[in-house]
Amino acid sequence: MTNSTRRTMILTLCATAVVATTMTASPPAARAADGQSTPVPQLDWHPCELPAGTAGPAGQECATLPVPLDYSRPDGRTVPVAVSRLRSDRPAHRRGTLVVIPGGPGSSGVQRLAQKGAALQEALDGAYDLISLDPRGVGASVKARCGIPAADRRLVTLRSWPSPDGGIGENTARSRRTAESCAANGGAVLRSFTTRNEVRDIDRFRQALGERKLSVWGTSYGAYVGAVYGQTRPGRVDRLVLDSTGDPDPSRVARGWLENMARGAADRFADFAGWSAEPAREAEGLRLAPRAEDVEPLFLALAEELDRVPRDSGTPGVPLTGNGLRQALQNALYSDRAFPALARLIQEARDPEGVPALPPDLTQTIPDEDASLMVATICNDVRWPGAGSGYAERVAADRVRYPLTAGMPVNITPCAFWKDAPSERPARITDRGPSNILMVQSLRDPATPYAGALKMRTALGDRARLVTVGQGGHGMYLGNGNACGDRAVTRFLTTGHRPAQDTDCPE
């Protein structure tokens, strides 16, 4: 599963003397996540050095947390994990520490905190010190490289879009060579990129801070990580917010999330169609059709035309193909704010004299380290069906049922050829544990559709309450402009109050 299709993707500790000492001084020894005693190092905090163009809130600090490469060998090799914190700006109001878990796999928690820290401080009124980390493989944390060729590291090739005729031969060959490259070059570090290890690293961070419990806000894949943390360490979680969640079925994690994106795109497209058919779009040059029901046939016809004859774009050497247009749609469905750029791209592609300006996600070659991570986490967590298990047939059926995604969500991936079996079973999310979970979910989510979130809700039973936001988009809290949903999450985090039963927020 990805947070803005990986691009966003992919964003204090207290001022009183007693709490500050607690947060910076590490205990001489603590229990490792698997029950073995291991020293927890003291963190050396310093101002963050964020990527160009990322401006974090004043006071955001960063450090490096050494974690065991293999938690079953806590005294063995350690690897660095980048961590970040933002102290409460109202320490007298502080009630605990909130860990912000980003989506992905592949999103940076350090950047997520930079992007959301100020909004969280304002919304939560100083109730929390805010922390986050870069999962293994991300940002300043330990990296691994598969050695994936550059041509295979474009978003439209990392995603298994079938050929225009629906064939998967090229996808199969690419998936095989990617898996073989990862097996040859990734090593033990790549094999350590798992959800369970991210959970362990979060808990080691908690130990290093000297905190007894953490509250959690996890979004998208980060919501699954948060659910696993709450399931496996129920005594370490205070309040848990799961924002935009997928189906937690342990036999289908990652694979099921990807498959569900076909349903998600179909659910969400109606919002784009309605917006692009509004008369107000006429003056903007972005009205695609006079009626909302005409937009999907128009889009599908254009994608098929680009399948046959790709168009030269404003980026030399990178034409706009049908699959490129479909991928642009996937990206744009995450937020209404992306609708104008998608409509403009469609208009430029329809104009015989137009030169489509491609969004950056379609023109960039993803760095090998990032591409390797994106592949590894989903393949390491659970065994996928092998190459001879009917991928072509599933693609053919999905292309008919969900033409907007053209079979990509059910297509073959490198996981079908992955050399290493999962080292552990995925966690099973159950209704056993504290009743301290609030879910927030849009009704028309393109990445983690509502149907999948309902399965998470069912699995959690009375442990959770669900706030359904009656709009589209992915990532609800402080993300898509629904004041009702935001109020529900803020109230829960600051007061502990949850609705007595599942509830709806109007659009």
Side-chain angles (χ1 to χ4, degrees):
M1 176 175 20
T2 69
N3 190 10
S4 301
T5 61
R6 193 197 87 89
R7 302 273 185 197
T8 34
M9 284 179 129
I10 160 223
L11 80 156
T12 289
L13 297 171
C14 185
T16 63
V18 173
V19 177
T21 301
T22 300
M23 303 304 287
T24 57
S26 300
R31 287 280 164 188
D34 295 328
Q36 301 188 37
S37 181
T38 181
V40 177
Q42 183 169 328
L43 296 171
D44 181 15
W45 294 103
H46 53 81
C48 295
E49 296 180 7
L50 298 171
T54 303
Q60 184 177 357
E61 298 176 289
C62 287
T64 299
L65 174 69
V67 299
L69 173 62
D70 182 348
Y71 275 89
S72 69
R73 300 177 180 177
D75 297 323
R77 177 185 172 187
T78 64
V79 293
V81 166
V83 297
S84 186
R85 72 178 182 180
L86 184 61
R87 296 176 186 269
S88 169
D89 56 350
R90 301 189 68 184
H93 289 216
R94 180 187 182 274
R95 65 163 310 276
T97 295
L98 175 71
V99 59
V100 177
I101 309 179
S107 294
S108 164
V110 175
Q111 292 187 47
R112 179 76 167 167
L113 192 56
Q115 295 159 355
K116 293 292 187 180
L120 280 167
Q121 285 182 316
E122 180 178 356
L124 301 178
D125 197 26
Y128 291 93
D129 298 329
L130 307 174
I131 65 171
S132 196
L133 57 80
D134 282 351
R136 302 184 192 206
V138 178
S141 294
V142 63
K143 298 288 187 68
R145 293 174 179 264
C146 288
I148 302 172
D152 293 346
R153 287 189 273 112
R154 303 266 308 287
L155 195 53
V156 292
T157 51
L158 278 171
R159 293 283 178 91
S160 286
W161 291 101
S163 299
D165 62 358
I168 69 168
E170 186 176 345
N171 305 129
T172 301
R174 183 182 300 114
S175 294
R176 184 190 299 274
R177 64 177 174 259
T178 298
E180 289 174 348
S181 293
C182 289
N185 303 312
V189 171
L190 188 81
R191 292 193 295 273
S192 80
F193 295 167
T194 67
T195 297
R196 282 196 180 262
N197 275 340
E198 183 171 347
V199 165
R200 292 179 178 115
D201 293 345
I202 290 170
D203 205 52
R204 187 168 176 86
F205 190 15
R206 176 194 61 78
Q207 294 169 345
L209 293 170
E211 291 284 356
R212 187 174 66 88
K213 288 187 175 185
L214 297 175
S215 289
V216 178
W217 171 35
T219 304
S220 193
Y221 169 68
Y224 175 69
V225 175
V228 174
Y229 188 61
Q231 186 71 47
T232 58
R233 290 159 182 78
R236 299 303 183 190
V237 175
D238 183 10
R239 296 168 185 171
L240 174 55
V241 174
L242 305 182
D243 184 343
S244 304
T245 57
D247 181 355
D249 181 349
S251 68
R252 300 180 69 249
V253 293
R255 178 168 62 93
W257 304 333
L258 183 59
E259 290 179 2
N260 288 345
M261 290 179 73
R263 167 74 178 272
D267 289 346
R268 172 67 163 146
F269 188 84
D271 293 330
F272 172 70
W275 177 90
S276 62
E278 291 175 356
R281 304 285 87 79
E282 198 76 60
E284 303 164 350
L286 300 179
R287 194 178 190 195
L288 299 181
R291 302 183 306 165
E293 56 265 36
D294 296 330
V295 176
E296 182 171 343
L298 178 154
F299 179 88
L300 293 174
L302 178 60
E304 291 174 3
E305 179 183 334
L306 293 169
D307 283 337
R308 295 188 296 270
V309 184
R311 289 282 303 276
D312 289 337
S313 75
T315 304
V318 185
L320 177 60
T321 64
N323 284 337
L325 184 67
R326 296 179 183 102
Q327 183 60 61
L329 171 66
Q330 284 277 302
N331 297 355
L333 293 179
Y334 278 65
S335 171
D336 291 7
R337 293 185 295 272
F339 286 0
L342 176 63
R344 190 170 297 109
L345 177 66
I346 292 171
Q347 293 288 52
E348 290 169 348
R350 295 173 68 199
D351 181 356
E353 305 300 322
V355 179
L358 301 184
D361 282 352
L362 298 187
T363 63
Q364 297 171 350
T365 299
I366 297 170
D368 187 26
E369 292 170 336
D370 294 346
S372 300
L373 165 70
M374 291 168 65
V375 172
T377 303
I378 65 172
C379 298
N380 285 335
D381 268 3
V382 66
R383 175 66 79 184
W384 289 51
S389 61
Y391 282 100
E393 292 78 7
R394 288 194 289 275
V395 165
D398 216 52
R399 286 168 66 86
V400 174
R401 187 178 184 187
Y402 297 113
L404 289 168
T405 47
M408 180 275 291
V410 299
N411 201 0
I412 195 165
T413 72
C415 303
F417 300 98
W418 209 243
K419 304 300 182 183
D420 297 297
S423 59
E424 305 171 88
R425 293 181 178 179
R428 180 175 292 278
I429 306 301
T430 75
D431 59 0
R432 296 186 298 276
S435 184
N436 61 350
I437 302 172
L438 182 70
M439 297 175 60
V440 60
Q441 181 79 27
S442 86
L443 198 58
R444 298 180 298 280
D445 188 315
T448 53
Y450 193 65
L454 290 179
K455 293 183 178 180
M456 176 70 85
R457 175 68 186 87
T458 298
L460 290 169
D462 197 52
R463 295 177 65 195
R465 299 291 184 271
L466 172 63
V467 175
T468 297
V469 178
Q471 66 180 68
H474 182 65
M476 284 294 103
Y477 185 49
L478 304 180
N480 271 277
N482 186 277
C484 171
D486 288 351
R487 282 194 303 270
V489 175
T490 296
R491 186 180 186 190
F492 172 62
L493 287 174
T494 53
T495 71
H497 174 84
R498 294 185 314 177
Q501 57 190 10
D502 293 352
T503 189
D504 294 334
C505 278
E507 187 168 0

